Amino acid sequence: MTSGICTGPAGDGGGAPAEDIGGYLRRLGFVRPPRPTAETLFALQRAHLERVPYENIDIQLGRPPGIDPALSARRFAAGHGGYCFHLNGAFALLLEELGFDVTRHVAGVLGAADRERRDVSGDHLALTVRVDGGEFFVDAGLGDGPHEPLPLRAGTHRQGAFAYGLEPLGGDAPGWRYTNEAAPCPVVNFLSAPASTADFEAVHARLSTAEDSGFVRTFAMLRRDADGVDALRGRVLHRIDPVKGNTERVLETPDAFWSVVGGVFGRDLDGLTGEDRAALWERVDRAHEAWLASRAEAGGP
């Protein structure tokens, strides 16, 4: 791929129309295609995390979008977000269009209770990128992950008040283990072997439609910036900031909810009808009340 933004074969089955890639770049604040340098890679990841939210609005509305990277690029150009398969899938395509050397990897996210496991579940897509003689772990699809790429070498890597770890995965297949103890899901294991979008289709179908999937059960939006993370789970807006301190606010009305979705998270709302907004608010509000009832039964605050 060259930095001319042309339609043609990419590393994962095909390119995207020039207008979609151009719109995607404009969403990230780039008026023209940048050169494929390490400096550009860092700027692109920062912009992606700040401007394209991790979100599951369409999954919550029962119409999950596919994970074809060109489709995701078109959706991002139109002001939408997505979850890991959309975010990292489209980001990989964009980077390839700009001339970066990108590899997709089968990965798995682990919660705190399972942090010692070394298996790879396949419920996450991870990326590595080689540029300017270096190799980097790149992830725009965690929502609360690193603000910038991490050098792919073992050790602790600090970004402001946040610390991230990388170490060889161990086990039967070569790979890497990423850790972020400040996150609810502190571990990502990923295999070194290259993967393609097809490797994630079945998992995506399950995660985006199964009744017991967290993406189906719980509304979520996340946005990362240099200082911290904004996270909206149900009706509760969290700000995670290790320096200034964490804050939490319950959104009491539909107007407050949609103001945060469009304002804090930058999600375009023009494609959502009045019926869509009413249905999502009703779903989120019902889940919030059920959560409050379950906490009361358990004797929580």
Side-chain angles (χ1 to χ4, degrees), residues 3 38 48 59 87 93 99 131 168 176 207 253 291:
S3 59
H48 209 292
I59 291 175
L87 296 164
L93 175 62
V131 62
W176 287 87
L207 292 178
T253 66
W291 172 68

Side-chain angles (χ1 to χ4, degrees), residues 5 16-33 51-52 72-80 94:
I5 307 302
E19 59 269 24
D20 293 338
I21 293 296
Y24 188 0
L25 278 171
R26 287 190 293 275
R27 178 92 184 272
L28 302 183
F30 290 79
V31 297
R32 61 181 59 86
R51 298 175 180 228
V52 184
S72 297
R74 185 177 312 125
R75 295 180 71 251
F76 296 167
H80 297 205
L94 176 64

Side-chain angles (χ1 to χ4, degrees), residues 12-290:
D12 195 26
E19 59 269 24
D20 293 338
I21 293 296
Y24 188 0
L25 278 171
R26 287 190 293 275
R27 178 92 184 272
L28 302 183
F30 290 79
V31 297
R32 61 181 59 86
R35 294 179 57 249
T37 65
E39 182 180 4
T40 296
L41 177 65
F42 276 56
L44 285 168
Q45 179 163 321
R46 291 193 301 266
H48 209 292
L49 287 162
E50 293 171 8
R51 298 175 180 228
V52 184
Y54 180 109
E55 52 104 336
N56 62 344
I57 287 177
D58 288 317
I59 291 175
Q60 289 278 298
L61 290 172
R63 54 187 190 218
I67 60 171
D68 175 75
L71 170 62
S72 297
R74 185 177 312 125
R75 295 180 71 251
F76 296 167
H80 297 205
Y83 75 154
C84 66
F85 298 140
H86 307 113
L87 296 164
N88 279 341
F91 196 34
L93 175 62
L94 176 64
L95 292 173
E96 287 171 334
E97 291 279 1
L98 294 173
F100 288 93
D101 179 9
V102 183
T103 303
R104 299 156 182 79
H105 305 272
V106 172
V109 178
L110 296 174
D114 299 314
R115 62 162 52 89
E116 299 307 319
R117 287 169 48 185
R118 297 275 169 167
D119 59 313
V120 177
S121 64
D123 64 1
H124 187 65
L125 161 62
L127 307 176
T128 54
V129 177
R130 286 147 297 284
V131 62
D132 291 349
E135 186 169 13
F136 299 90
F137 170 65
V138 171
D139 205 311
L142 287 169
D144 56 6
H147 192 222
E148 297 179 332
L150 301 179
L152 192 63
R153 60 173 181 263
T156 298
H157 306 274
R158 302 200 67 89
Q159 292 182 2
F162 293 87
Y164 308 101
L166 282 171
E167 61 177 282
L169 180 60
D172 296 332
W176 287 87
R177 178 178 177 85
Y178 156 87
T179 55
N180 173 13
E181 294 300 332
C185 294
V187 175
V188 175
N189 294 335
F190 67 96
L191 301 176
S192 295
S196 70
T197 299
D199 294 313
F200 305 97
E201 292 282 3
V203 179
H204 166 64
R206 175 175 59 80
L207 292 178
S208 62
T209 62
E211 291 184 3
D212 62 346
S213 166
F215 297 99
V216 175
R217 293 198 316 266
T218 305
F219 171 80
M221 298 190 81
L222 294 97
R223 187 194 71 89
R224 178 76 160 87
D225 59 37
D227 299 319
V229 181
D230 295 305
L232 177 59
R233 295 184 175 90
R235 280 176 44 197
V236 183
L237 176 64
H238 306 264
R239 173 65 182 176
I240 302 162
D241 187 324
V243 175
K244 295 182 179 179
N246 299 341
T247 61
E248 181 178 297
R249 175 164 65 99
V250 177
L251 306 180
E252 301 290 355
T253 66
D255 285 346
F257 177 82
W258 290 111
S259 177
V260 166
V261 169
V264 174
F265 295 96
R267 180 29 159 104
D268 183 85
L269 304 179
D270 289 345
L272 297 172
T273 66
E275 290 79 7
D276 290 336
R277 296 195 196 195
L280 185 58
W281 170 257
E282 180 182 359
R283 182 184 180 93
V284 168
D285 186 51
R286 187 170 59 247
H288 182 78
E289 294 301 324

